[in-house]
Amino acid sequence: MTPFLKEVAEDLVAKFGDDLQYCAIVFNNNRPATYLRKHLADIIKKPFFSPAIYTIQQFFAGSVKEKTADFYLQFFTLLKVYNQLLAEEGLTPMKSSQFYPLAKIMLSDFAQIDNDLVDADKLYQEMEEVAEINLEFDYLSKEQYQFLAQFWQSYSEGKHKKQQELFIKMWRRMPKLYHRFKEELKAQNYITNGQVYRHLANTDLASLDFIKSFEKGKIIFVGFNALTRAEAKVFTQLQEAGKALFYFDTDVYYVEDELQEAGLFLRKNLRQLGLKNIFEEHNNTFASEPHLVNVYKVQGQSAQAKILNQVVEIDENVDEEIGTTAIILADESLLMPALQTLDEQLDVNVTMGFALASSTVFGLADLWLTTQLELREANSVAYQTLEAFVTHPLTGLSTKLKANIQEALLKDNVVSVDVRRLQKQGGIFEKFYHKVDEPAELVNELLSVMRFLLTRLSSQKSLKKIDADLFVKTIEELTRLNDTLKDFVKDEEFHFVVQLIQKSLQGVSVPLSGDPLKGVQLMGLLESRNLNFDNIVFLGFNEGIIPKTSIGNSFIPDGIRRAYGLPVLENLDAISAYMVYRLLQRAKNISFVYNSLTDESNTGEVSRILKQLEYESNFKFNYKALNLPVSTEPQHVIEIDKKDENIQKALQRYLTGEKVLSPSALTMYISNPIDFFFRYIAEIKEPEEVTAVIEANQIGSILHKVMEYFYQPEIKKMVTPEVIKLKRSSIKTLVAKAFNFVMTNNEESTLEYSGMQKVILAIVEAYVEIILNRDEADAPFTIISLEEKISTSLEFELNGKKEQVKLFGFIDRVDEKNGVTRIVDYKTGGDKLTFSAIEKLFDTDGKSINKALIQTLIYTYAYEKQSGRTGVEPNLFIVKTMADNKVHFNSRKLVLTDAYLEEVKPLFLEELQAKVAELFNLDIPFRASQVPDNYVYSKYKTLFGV
């Protein structure tokens, strides 16, 4: 296979010899220049002066004196002119943020109008007034007329809606906008790319100094296909002046066949425009040379990249001067999956570059911008934003400092951090959290932050090369952006300037390391123009991706586009088909990979281009399917053997009194022993996090704290209904105080409550009122203690030997009424007062476990033993069901008080001792309950096979 560019190089050397230095070679993209230079060097085999090599945009821009305006200069100029027009009409000017999406479409339309030399006045006039079609467009075909009439039908008199009327008014001002926009740019000595094209198409090119500089040689256009009208006119004029040569990459297969869309533009260039191809004889390898084609159907987007190591085969014994294998990404989103899949030993060159938007450097810049938005709103930073900064790998903070900051924030549960607290930390915190007040300073300040971070990380010698390159690119882009925006954004909305910076940085990419000539070339389809490879792998070869199904946003409807010869969807089909066909014509081994899964973004169908090849060509096709079977592992019963040395040591600490057992720990073991292992033996805990969201258990904590505050002054006193009524006025204050303490560990915290937090406060207030209603009806009673700490031993028999563990906990409230000591436990959940038999309370594989009863009876046992009191009665205040005034446990219509309570207590103690003995029995492993309801809310379900 002789590559197209090698054929071009051979012909150029034969034609020009040493005079090649006086020529200009023009490509449609940058990539081919490296290959052409290599081929020229291989042919000439001695030092030589290289010809000037340009892309078409560079060549055209070099032909005019004005500077090319970038997007942001164009946008702000267009906005200024548009608002002037609105003012002339007596209308309110548009904000930048409102106009931005419209401007992108307008500028794209203007560029197409200029590229194709369309009369903008006439085009917009026709869009406004269809009645003039017959006068102005008497040459239109019946089909073209129908296109236009069809479009305007929805805008006929009587059907106008407000939005449609606004749309038409916008079209009416378009001609003025178009001309004034060009004039405004020209006054600043700027011009758009489209205007460059239109200017050159209407200029005597021979008189331009830039064109004259190549008088000793020729201007050589290589590998072009679809031409705009401006390009076509320039090319024709240069050819007629004898100044240009053209090398088109063609093949008989699609050029000579009028039905082949791949040759659509080549036929137009050669026949209608009369451009002369230096290679007069069309290539004939497409049909005559053997081509082996493998088609891989895979399931899943990223799965397409996973077969690359099977498809890409490199002979390491062959020393190739130019790589013969390319992976073409029809879907460019597959770049990262492809890079992650390819063998690390494989020599890969990525021509597309690494997107800044996918990097941690962009993440840091974006985080700074997000921080500035937060500071503008409240002079504080959300905890999540601060945590993202602290944990970011490019801040250079030490592990110890990160841990200290996170620990401090968790301790205080600070949802929003005051910026002054951060700035006091100095160093990187002072720099990163410096508040910017003026939008015009945003770019400059971010530039300063990025330079500071680059210097800091470089001095720490902790910066990877790719991150260093991304930092440099980011700084370059911000410097350019600062020069462009500084004169425009002074009075702009702060949020809008942030968005502009974000969008600008998202477009930056950094070339990855690699040899552009050797190894496997990983590139997009557009970058493959003019290049040839023996082995080609197409990834993402799906219908809807190639060819694309949309030409992009435009205010110019399809019918008008067709009438004026502007690009339409069929043009994309022809361009895509040509780029694929010209790659195939010289390739030997071809692989197409496509995603067969159907979802909202994918049809699951292979591209029509491949279907067409299969139907028309004589290629040999092999179809292969990569099926990734999905199967679920059978659930395994996980048991943790207690005979493990480390587990025995952990259990022994309870028996020696080094560790204590709480009632909640015991109920966890009873309901699901394996949960107890993960929580208290393995000590696996959920990571703490700062949150403004109130969990269910926190509502209970707030309620407990309020009741403690309420009755604290009444300890050892008689509480009467009058006392409760008098103190009710303080409920709201106590609830806020308790909320602050639970959420921030600070009773006096000056929190500004969010909407949801206000709801929680109201719920807790309602719960307190329910409890106090009960207490008021039950008064008088005497408060003995609040949140009393209990610590006592529980003896049991283990393998014929007496052992003991220490029980530890806090009792919500102990009071006395009519000589009866009562333990009161507050509950905000769905606990129940009913129970069946006592022994069923301890059945791990049963459905009758009542955690609230077990815990309360444990408190009763422990309190009696600790205080020496007898006849202590358990009471459960379930706020959600207290309306019926029931607070005593009951079984089979027997209420757990008086004689029945005293009958139950020894049975309960016996069962409790047996269960605790089971916990320490090394022959009984930790396992999951057979009743899923017993661990439905377990945090450890994924660990024990559920």
Side-chain angles (χ1 to χ4, degrees):
M1 182 272 291
T2 303
F4 169 64
L5 289 178
K6 187 174 183 180
E7 293 177 351
V8 172
E10 290 171 346
D11 194 73
L12 288 175
V13 172
K15 275 188 171 62
F16 295 98
D18 292 339
D19 290 338
L20 187 59
Q21 62 179 303
Y22 303 115
C23 295
I25 300 176
V26 183
F27 292 108
N28 41 26
N29 61 318
N30 278 312
R31 195 75 194 151
T34 304
Y35 284 79
L36 182 66
R37 289 191 181 101
K38 171 62 177 171
H39 290 308
L40 289 173
D42 290 345
I43 295 166
I44 297 174
K45 294 182 179 179
K46 64 178 182 180
F48 67 98
F49 289 102
S50 173
I53 300 180
Y54 303 92
T55 64
I56 185 69
Q57 292 84 3
Q58 292 168 344
F59 182 77
F60 277 16
S63 304
V64 296
K65 296 178 181 178
E66 295 87 353
K67 294 177 285 187
T68 304
D70 68 5
F71 169 79
Y72 296 103
L73 176 59
Q74 292 185 49
F75 166 72
F76 284 108
T77 302
L78 190 68
L79 173 65
K80 174 184 175 183
V81 174
Y82 194 80
N83 279 335
Q84 287 174 352
L85 292 174
L86 290 177
E88 290 172 10
E89 296 175 30
L91 299 174
T92 306
M94 288 189 77
K95 292 182 179 179
S96 304
S97 54
Q98 294 174 310
F99 188 64
Y100 186 82
L102 298 177
K104 291 183 73 174
I105 301 174
M106 289 177 186
L107 291 172
S108 175
D109 285 345
F110 287 176
Q112 287 189 348
I113 288 170
D114 285 332
N115 286 339
D116 283 296
L117 308 179
V118 172
D119 185 329
D121 293 326
K122 192 170 287 188
L123 180 141
Y124 285 116
Q125 183 182 352
E126 295 303 330
M127 290 172 65
E128 177 195 347
E129 187 58 69
V130 72
E132 296 182 10
I133 289 178
N134 291 329
L135 293 174
E136 302 288 343
F137 290 85
D138 54 347
Y139 56 84
L140 288 180
S141 68
K142 182 180 178 182
E143 290 78 9
Q144 289 172 319
Y145 182 88
Q146 285 175 345
F147 272 123
L148 293 173
Q150 215 170 32
F151 171 78
W152 277 101
Q153 196 172 19
S154 63
Y155 292 91
S156 59
E157 285 297 326
K159 284 190 175 182
H160 285 171
K161 296 178 182 177
K162 184 177 181 181
Q163 195 165 359
Q164 291 172 328
E165 289 174 351
L166 290 174
F167 203 23
I168 293 172
K169 285 180 181 178
M170 184 176 69
W171 283 340
R172 285 175 183 162
R173 65 179 72 99
M174 278 298 178
K176 286 184 181 178
L177 179 66
Y178 172 80
H179 292 297
R180 287 196 193 178
F181 169 66
K182 291 171 69 173
E183 291 165 4
E184 187 71 28
L185 281 180
K186 189 176 182 179
Q188 303 173 62
N189 198 36
Y190 278 100
I191 193 170
T192 67
N193 268 320
Q195 289 172 298
V196 170
Y197 278 49
R198 185 185 284 272
H199 171 75
L200 292 179
N202 296 317
T203 300
D204 179 10
L205 298 173
S207 64
L208 297 177
D209 292 338
F210 182 72
I211 301 298
K212 289 179 180 178
S213 65
F214 304 106
E215 281 184 349
K216 292 184 180 180
K218 297 283 185 182
I219 300 169
I220 301 155
F221 296 93
V222 180
F224 283 84
N225 177 37
L227 303 177
T228 65
R229 283 202 188 110
E231 288 172 336
K233 194 170 180 181
V234 168
F235 286 10
T236 303
Q237 189 181 151
L238 289 173
Q239 180 176 267
E240 290 172 353
K243 295 181 178 295
L245 297 178
F246 300 93
Y247 289 90
F248 294 108
D249 191 3
T250 63
D251 193 284
V252 172
Y253 183 81
Y254 50 81
V255 175
E256 297 298 335
D257 184 351
E258 298 287 341
L259 297 178
Q260 285 288 350
E261 58 187 354
L264 174 67
F265 291 106
L266 289 173
R267 289 190 292 272
K268 181 178 179 181
N269 296 340
L270 298 172
R271 298 173 188 174
Q272 295 180 28
L273 299 178
L275 299 178
K276 297 175 182 177
N277 188 4
I278 297 300
F279 297 145
E280 295 181 1
E281 294 294 323
H282 297 309
N283 199 305
N284 193 27
T285 58
F286 200 94
S288 61
E289 297 291 329
H291 297 79
L292 177 63
V293 181
N294 291 313
V295 181
Y296 296 87
K297 179 174 78 171
V298 300
Q299 296 181 350
Q301 178 73 350
S302 296
Q304 296 175 88
K306 300 306 177 186
I307 65 170
L308 280 177
N309 288 329
Q310 302 173 34
V311 177
V312 178
E313 297 181 0
I314 302 296
D315 188 346
E316 296 180 358
N317 296 319
V318 177
D319 185 18
E320 301 167 335
E321 289 195 352
I322 294 182
T324 59
T325 300
I327 299 169
I328 310 296
L329 301 180
D331 182 353
E332 296 190 2
S333 68
L334 291 171
L335 174 61
M336 292 312 296
L339 287 174
Q340 292 165 356
T341 300
L342 287 168
D343 193 316
E344 292 182 1
Q345 304 302 317
L346 204 61
D347 188 8
V348 179
N349 178 56
V350 184
T351 67
M352 297 166 63
F354 183 77
L356 177 64
S358 303
S359 71
T360 52
V361 175
F362 175 78
L364 198 57
D366 189 53
L367 181 62
W368 184 84
L369 292 168
T370 302
T371 300
Q372 290 301 321
L373 291 175
E374 291 184 7
L375 292 177
R376 190 169 182 83
E377 292 295 324
N379 272 328
S380 61
V381 180
Y383 165 75
Q384 294 90 337
T385 310
L386 176 58
E387 185 179 44
F389 171 75
V390 171
T391 57
H392 198 283
L394 295 180
T395 55
L397 299 177
S398 68
T399 304
K400 183 178 179 181
L401 180 58
K402 289 179 182 180
N404 289 342
I405 293 171
Q406 289 177 300
E407 186 179 337
L409 293 173
L410 282 169
K411 181 182 177 183
D412 296 343
N413 196 41
V414 179
V415 177
S416 185
V417 186
D418 190 279
V419 67
R420 288 168 294 185
R421 179 177 177 181
L422 295 171
Q423 290 172 345
K424 284 179 183 177
Q425 304 300 314
I428 188 173
F429 284 90
E430 185 177 10
K431 186 69 178 176
F432 197 85
Y433 290 101
H434 172 67
K435 182 182 176 182
V436 178
D437 294 314
E438 297 299 325
E441 293 299 316
L442 273 168
V443 180
N444 197 44
E445 187 63 29
L446 177 55
L447 190 56
S448 175
V449 169
M450 298 309 283
R451 284 173 176 156
F452 177 86
L453 288 167
L454 178 59
T455 303
R456 173 186 172 89
L457 292 166
S458 299
S459 64
Q460 293 177 353
K461 297 181 180 179
S462 60
L463 197 60
K464 297 177 182 176
K465 183 180 184 305
I466 181 63
D467 288 331
D469 291 343
L470 286 163
F471 261 113
V472 171
K473 271 287 185 181
T474 303
I475 290 168
E476 287 177 0
E477 176 65 15
L478 289 172
T479 303
R480 184 195 66 79
L481 195 62
N482 194 42
D483 293 339
T484 303
L485 294 184
K486 62 184 179 184
D487 296 327
F488 296 108
V489 297
K490 183 178 179 181
D491 299 318
E492 288 296 332
E493 296 173 285
F494 198 88
H495 284 68
F496 177 65
V497 178
V498 167
Q499 290 173 2
L500 282 185
I501 299 170
Q502 289 170 327
K503 291 179 186 297
S504 176
L505 293 179
Q506 284 169 351
V508 176
S509 64
V510 174
L512 297 175
S513 60
D515 191 325
L517 295 174
K518 289 186 178 181
V520 176
Q521 301 297 309
L522 188 59
M523 60 179 62
L525 187 60
L526 284 172
E527 294 172 296
S528 72
R529 289 175 292 182
N530 290 311
L531 307 182
N532 296 107
F533 303 92
D534 288 337
N535 310 303
I536 295 176
V537 181
F538 287 94
L539 285 187
F541 211 73
N542 276 86
E543 182 65 21
I545 294 175
I546 179 169
K548 292 182 179 178
T549 55
S550 170
I551 60 170
N553 294 327
S554 174
F555 286 135
I556 307 172
D558 184 75
I560 300 284
R561 300 181 78 85
R562 292 178 188 276
Y564 281 88
L566 291 171
V568 291
L569 199 56
E570 289 91 313
N571 296 152
L572 292 183
D573 292 355
I575 292 169
S576 296
Y578 173 70
M579 286 192 290
V580 173
Y581 276 41
R582 64 153 303 279
L583 275 170
L584 301 183
Q585 67 196 35
R586 288 181 169 85
K588 296 175 182 176
N589 301 303
I590 304 155
S591 297
F592 293 100
V593 185
Y594 73 100
N595 176 14
S596 64
L597 284 185
T598 303
D599 56 33
E600 65 277 2
S601 61
N602 183 49
T603 62
E605 293 289 331
V606 71
S607 169
R608 76 186 79 160
I609 295 174
L610 190 141
K611 290 287 187 183
Q612 186 172 313
L613 281 168
E614 181 185 22
Y615 179 75
E616 296 176 345
S617 72
N618 60 356
F619 290 5
K620 181 182 178 182
F621 284 83
N622 295 320
Y623 284 88
K624 303 178 182 182
L626 177 67
N627 293 315
L628 303 174
V630 178
S631 60
T632 56
E633 284 286 327
Q635 184 173 332
H636 299 288
V637 177
I638 296 180
E639 293 185 347
I640 309 297
D641 191 348
K642 295 177 184 174
K643 293 177 183 177
D644 179 274
E645 182 182 349
N646 293 318
I647 294 177
Q648 288 189 52
K649 287 180 180 178
L651 289 171
Q652 191 63 31
R653 284 199 288 270
Y654 287 99
L655 297 177
T656 60
E658 184 181 343
K659 295 186 75 174
V660 297
L661 276 175
S662 67
S664 59
L666 282 170
T667 55
M668 177 179 284
Y669 176 78
I670 293 166
S671 60
N672 199 35
I674 203 165
D675 273 352
F676 181 92
F677 165 76
F678 287 123
R679 174 64 181 85
Y680 294 100
I681 304 299
E683 297 184 343
I684 298 174
K685 300 178 182 179
E686 280 190 314
E688 292 184 73
E689 61 180 24
V690 175
T691 176
V693 178
I694 312 298
E695 302 291 341
N697 65 327
Q698 289 176 307
I699 294 178
S701 299
I702 296 169
L703 175 65
H704 282 70
K705 203 67 185 173
V706 174
M707 297 311 300
E708 182 185 355
Y709 289 152
F710 190 88
Y711 282 124
Q712 189 73 43
E714 312 306 320
I715 292 178
K716 308 298 183 183
K717 296 180 182 178
M718 178 75 72
V719 177
T720 64
E722 290 72 27
V723 170
I724 295 173
K725 285 179 183 177
L726 186 64
K727 291 173 69 71
R728 277 182 184 263
S729 60
S730 65
I731 291 175
K732 190 178 288 292
T733 302
L734 295 180
V735 169
K737 183 179 177 182
F739 181 92
N740 294 342
F741 180 82
V742 170
M743 296 303 293
T744 68
N745 289 318
N746 181 4
E747 294 176 349
E748 307 305 323
S749 175
T750 55
L751 281 175
E752 290 187 15
Y753 302 121
S754 66
M756 183 53 67
Q757 288 172 334
K758 289 177 181 177
V759 171
I760 298 300
L761 292 171
I763 290 172
V764 175
E765 286 179 30
Y767 284 175
V768 172
E769 294 286 359
I770 291 170
I771 293 173
L772 293 179
N773 288 341
R774 163 73 193 190
D775 283 348
E776 193 174 320
D778 199 37
F781 54 83
T782 301
I783 299 290
I784 297 175
S785 64
L786 297 171
E787 297 297 322
E788 180 173 348
K789 180 171 71 175
I790 56 113
S791 179
T792 190
S793 61
L794 173 70
E795 293 184 349
F796 62 96
E797 187 174 306
L798 179 64
N799 299 325
K801 181 184 175 183
K802 291 289 184 181
E803 298 283 1
Q804 69 175 20
V805 292
K806 186 180 289 184
L807 300 178
F808 180 87
F810 291 89
I811 300 174
D812 293 345
R813 173 173 129 193
V814 182
D815 63 26
E816 184 179 334
K817 178 177 174 60
N818 298 329
V820 177
T821 303
R822 305 182 302 182
I823 283 180
V824 177
D825 198 10
Y826 307 120
K827 294 292 184 184
T828 57
D831 298 275
K832 295 182 180 180
L833 288 166
T834 59
F835 68 98
S836 54
I838 287 294
E839 60 272 12
K840 289 186 178 181
L841 292 177
F842 295 88
D843 184 3
T844 293
D845 296 324
K847 296 183 178 180
S848 301
I849 299 171
N850 187 324
K851 291 184 179 182
L853 175 57
I854 295 171
Q855 289 180 13
T856 312
L857 284 175
I858 291 175
Y859 285 134
T860 302
Y861 161 78
Y863 183 76
E864 285 185 343
K865 191 171 180 184
Q866 179 173 293
S867 66
R869 291 175 179 254
T870 58
V872 177
E873 180 183 277
N875 282 223
L876 192 69
F877 283 15
I878 306 172
V879 291
K880 292 182 179 179
T881 59
M882 282 182 67
D884 58 6
N885 289 322
K886 292 180 180 179
V887 296
H888 295 103
F889 294 98
N890 61 87
S891 173
R892 297 188 298 273
K893 298 184 179 179
L894 294 173
V895 179
L896 199 61
T897 57
D898 303 327
Y900 182 50
L901 174 62
E902 294 309 309
E903 177 187 331
V904 162
K905 283 180 180 179
L907 295 174
F908 174 81
L909 180 59
E910 185 180 330
E911 292 292 338
L912 177 62
Q913 289 170 327
K915 202 66 180 180
V916 173
E918 177 192 297
L919 167 59
F920 292 96
N921 189 335
L922 301 182
D923 293 326
I924 301 176
F926 292 109
R927 62 175 179 81
S929 168
Q930 294 180 13
V931 180
D933 283 350
N934 289 349
Y935 55 77
V936 65
Y937 298 115
S938 170
K939 303 170 184 176
Y940 306 105
K941 284 194 287 187
T942 55
L943 298 181
F944 56 83
V946 176

